[in-house]
Amino acid sequence: MECNILLLPGDGIGPEVIDATVQVLDFVAGRRGHKLHYTRELIGGCSIDRHGVALTGEVLTAARSSDAVLLGAVGGPKWDDPLGTVRPEQGILGLRRGLEVYTNIRPVKAYPALADVSPLKAERLVGVDMVVLRELTGGLYFGEKRREVVNGREQALDTLVYNEDEIRRIVHFAFRLARTRRKHVTSVDKANIIETSRLWRRVATQVAAEYPDVAIEHVLVDTAAMRLIARPASFDVVVTENMFGDILTDEAAVLAGSMGMLPSASLGDSVRGLYEPVHGTAPDIAGKGIANPIGAILSGALMLRHSLGLEAEAALVEKAVENVINAGCRPPDLGGRLTTDEMTAAVLTACKVL
Ligand code: IPM
Ligand code: MG
């Protein structure tokens, strides 16, 4: 099989973790005779420096015509001016919207070997294995925004809009996924206060009726935030709107020991997907060669699974990562000293013996 992959390494540690991921992908795909063709383009701050915008039309077109997009991270202090009208994050949002990838999949697993790295008591982490599905192309991120002066005071407005179709499609995704797992969906909303959440809950309830074999519970977002820490193993598939998902997944990252461990996949109606580690650009360690490549490598595994249909190869990468972690390999964010290259080499070696 031949596949075209667009690499968007971006800023900060993005290029370092993407290079690591390409090595692992080439090895596991190449071993079974698959050929991955890469194109490399700019996104985020480096694109602003070169083209004046965070995402050019050409790059979006290249993304649309590839089988999958692998993104590093965008942003950094250089482009942080709050008054600036061009911002690196516009690159990611433009890509998510432009590719119509409305379901963001963020698996969160607590590796027992990393229990000492998490601030939570080890016994709370036993059995933590959830997937958070975050709606990615609607809500506050994309609603109408305004700044205006009213009665001499500056005022800002963001709007939160969801229609029933946008809710239904991601909730269906959650139920289909739950059927392959522990058959439990937690729909997170704020239905006691917010109108879009009341619609969310109604649609989620309707969809749930089509999956009698899967349990559903509705949890308010504030309670969900608490339960993520108090009883994290009680979640299987979590589905929620864009902003709640953004906040809850950073919180959930603590369960895995470090943001550096978490992958993500974003999918729409086709198998073409956008894959990115959940961590950001980490400007403090960029260029030092010590970034944890695991989040990106696991994002590569999700790409093998969801966009390229290479389930065995995806599972192999995930197993290799687990073995490497169990063997005690740790980059600095997990309290160890291994460099990005050393972690990558360890994953490659683990792949070879599997
Ligand atoms: C994430 C990030 C992004 C978001 C930023 C970088 C735009 O926090 O992927 O969670 O808010 O969605
Ligand atoms: Mg976030």
Side-chain angles (χ1 to χ4, degrees):
M1 189 175 70
E2 309 236 339
C3 303
N4 292 314
I5 294 162
L6 177 65
L7 300 178
L8 299 175
D11 310 312
I13 60 170
E16 298 163 52
V17 298
I18 292 301
D19 286 346
T21 306
V22 166
Q23 290 180 47
V24 175
L25 289 173
D26 279 344
F27 176 75
V28 294
R31 200 164 66 166
R32 313 254 166 125
H34 306 297
K35 183 90 192 90
L36 309 182
H37 303 284
Y38 304 100
T39 316
R40 199 176 267 261
E41 296 286 357
L42 301 176
I43 192 168
C46 55
S47 175
I48 292 176
D49 288 350
R50 176 81 63 87
H51 303 292
V53 288
L55 175 71
T56 63
E58 289 76 37
V59 172
L60 181 56
T61 304
R64 286 205 183 103
S65 57
S66 61
D67 295 305
V69 180
L70 189 59
L71 188 142
V74 301
K78 183 174 172 193
W79 308 279
D80 259 354
D81 178 6
L83 298 175
T85 49
V86 281
R87 286 186 304 278
E89 292 75 13
Q90 292 162 341
I92 294 203
L93 297 194
L95 203 56
R96 290 173 179 170
R97 198 67 189 259
L99 292 174
E100 294 174 86
V101 285
Y102 54 81
T103 300
N104 181 222
I105 309 170
R106 296 190 168 182
V108 180
K109 212 167 130 171
Y111 295 91
L114 291 181
D116 58 308
V117 186
S118 170
L120 258 72
K121 291 197 185 89
E123 69 255 28
R124 301 220 168 157
L125 294 169
V126 175
V128 169
D129 177 5
M130 73 184 87
V131 180
V132 182
L133 298 182
R134 166 188 175 194
E135 202 292 325
L136 205 58
T137 53
L140 279 172
Y141 276 65
F142 295 97
E144 189 202 327
K145 302 174 192 300
R146 254 206 324 272
R147 281 285 183 100
E148 57 201 356
V149 176
V150 177
N151 297 332
R153 276 187 307 223
E154 198 176 16
Q155 174 169 299
L157 173 104
D158 291 279
T159 45
L160 173 50
V161 180
Y162 271 107
N163 68 45
E164 57 179 313
D165 292 346
E166 290 171 310
I167 302 168
R168 191 170 288 114
R169 62 191 181 180
I170 188 168
V171 174
H172 269 294
F173 195 109
F175 277 91
R176 287 196 303 269
L177 178 65
R179 275 193 169 153
T180 68
R181 296 175 46 94
R182 300 195 302 278
K183 297 194 170 58
H184 189 273
V185 171
T186 305
S187 174
V188 174
D189 63 36
K190 186 72 182 172
N192 52 345
I193 303 291
I194 298 178
E195 203 53 45
T196 46
S197 276
R198 285 193 264 274
L199 179 64
W200 185 284
R201 194 174 280 217
R202 182 174 72 69
V203 174
T205 305
Q206 276 173 354
V207 173
E210 297 178 41
Y211 301 82
D213 53 320
V214 179
I216 173 137
E217 61 173 343
H218 303 276
V219 178
L220 295 173
V221 64
D222 44 354
T223 309
M226 186 174 65
R227 218 175 91 186
L228 264 179
I229 299 299
R231 282 191 298 127
S234 66
F235 294 105
D236 176 16
V237 175
V238 178
V239 62
T240 191
E241 63 101 69
N242 204 345
M243 183 67 134
F244 296 162
D246 178 48
I247 298 169
L248 292 179
T249 50
D250 266 30
E251 188 189 356
V254 173
L255 306 167
S258 162
M259 285 278 264
M261 296 298 293
L262 291 196
S264 87
S266 304
L267 290 167
D269 287 329
S270 73
V271 295
R272 189 194 50 229
L274 169 64
Y275 300 86
E276 48 177 317
V278 171
H279 64 67
T281 50
D284 52 324
I285 58 162
K288 294 190 179 160
I290 54 168
N292 183 352
I294 299 295
I297 290 172
L298 290 175
S299 301
L302 292 177
M303 180 179 91
L304 292 170
R305 170 174 300 126
H306 294 289
S307 286
L308 310 187
L310 301 175
E311 172 58 37
E313 286 76 1
L316 185 134
V317 173
E318 287 163 349
K319 186 72 194 151
V321 165
E322 195 179 323
N323 289 352
V324 161
I325 294 298
N326 285 342
C329 300
R330 306 263 191 284
D333 64 316
L334 297 175
R337 287 171 194 243
L338 292 196
T339 63
T340 310
D341 284 346
E342 287 164 342
M343 283 300 290
T344 310
V347 173
L348 282 169
T349 306
C351 286
K352 283 175 192 159
V353 300
L354 277 170

